[in-house]
């Protein structure tokens, strides 16, 4: 599945999980401020891009100079290319909830509904990541469900926090 869909491969990465959790937190944080949905979307895009850039920078600097398989030191360009390639999940995790928020921006659904739906979409993405991760290992269906629930629980905690703070 992921070979045909490179975005899915990115979302199913470690960075994709972090990205989904970050996006959930950002939606919850901005949603509590009663900001219009376009501001929520802008806040999320800017914050995720900054997190992504910081992640790329940190990863490139940390791996610069490490020995490559042939024993030569890794160049900064090579480190940067690898960091960009390995960090796509942070950006990819933003796509599904951002599409929902865009529905709110264009007035197709109310602002508050768009924020809540986007938050639940992030939880669903986390659940899917957990399910697929366990299915790759060939586990039984109930272990896959537990994997989905455990991964989604990170987003569920944020949903619960938003519900408590918003009401």
């Amino acid at each position: 599945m992921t070979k045909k869909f490179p975005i899915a491969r990115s979302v199913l990465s470690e960075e994709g999980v972090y990205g989904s959790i970050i996006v959930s937190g950002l939606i919850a944080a901005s949603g509590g401020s009663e900001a219009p949905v376009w501001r929520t979307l802008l806040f999320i895009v800017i914050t995720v891009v900054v997190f992504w850039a910081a992640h790329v920078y940190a990863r490139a600097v940390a791996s610069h100079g490490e020995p490559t398989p042939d024993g030569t030191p890794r160049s900064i360009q090579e480190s940067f290319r690898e960091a960009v390639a390995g960090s796509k999940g942070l950006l990819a995790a933003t796509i599904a909830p951002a599409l929902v928020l865009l529905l709110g921006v264009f007035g197709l659904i109310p602002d508050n509904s768009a924020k809540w739906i986007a938050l639940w979409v992030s939880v669903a993405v986390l659940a899917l990541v957990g399910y697929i991760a366990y299915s790759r290992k060939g586990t039984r269906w109930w272990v896959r469900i537990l994997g989905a629930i455990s991964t989604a629980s990170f987003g569920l905690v944020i949903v619960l926090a938003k519900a408590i703070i918003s009401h």
Side-chain angles (χ1 to χ4, degrees):
M1 175 183 146
T2 58
K3 290 181 182 175
K4 294 180 184 177
F5 303 102
I7 291 174
R9 183 175 43 247
S10 295
V11 173
L12 292 170
S13 67
E14 177 182 336
E15 288 80 7
V17 171
Y18 288 133
S20 293
I21 295 167
I22 289 168
V23 168
S24 296
L26 294 170
I27 293 168
S30 68
S33 69
E34 298 303 321
V37 73
W38 69 266
R39 282 190 184 172
T40 299
L41 181 59
L42 183 62
F43 175 64
I44 289 166
V45 169
I46 290 170
T47 305
V48 169
V49 168
V50 169
F51 266 90
W52 173 79
H55 187 75
V56 167
Y57 176 79
R59 196 167 175 174
V61 169
S63 67
H64 175 240
E66 288 184 348
T68 61
D70 68 1
T72 60
R74 182 172 280 118
S75 71
I76 191 66
Q77 294 87 358
E78 186 178 7
S79 294
F80 182 75
R81 275 192 305 276
E82 289 174 6
V84 168
S87 301
K88 291 177 186 173
L90 277 167
L91 300 175
T94 307
I95 295 170
L99 290 174
V100 173
L101 293 172
L102 275 174
L103 294 174
V105 168
F106 292 119
L108 299 172
I109 54 178
D111 281 13
N112 198 40
S113 297
K115 292 173 192 176
W116 275 105
I117 294 167
L119 188 54
W120 282 108
V121 164
S122 292
V123 173
V125 167
L126 286 166
L128 187 62
V129 167
Y131 184 88
I132 291 171
Y134 282 89
S135 77
R136 284 179 177 167
K137 296 178 182 195
T139 59
R140 296 175 186 230
W141 68 269
W142 60 270
V143 175
R144 295 175 190 184
I145 298 297
L146 287 175
I149 292 168
S150 65
T151 309
S153 68
F154 293 103
L156 290 171
V157 169
I158 292 171
V159 169
L160 182 60
K162 178 176 174 23
I164 292 168
I165 292 168
S166 297
H167 290 76

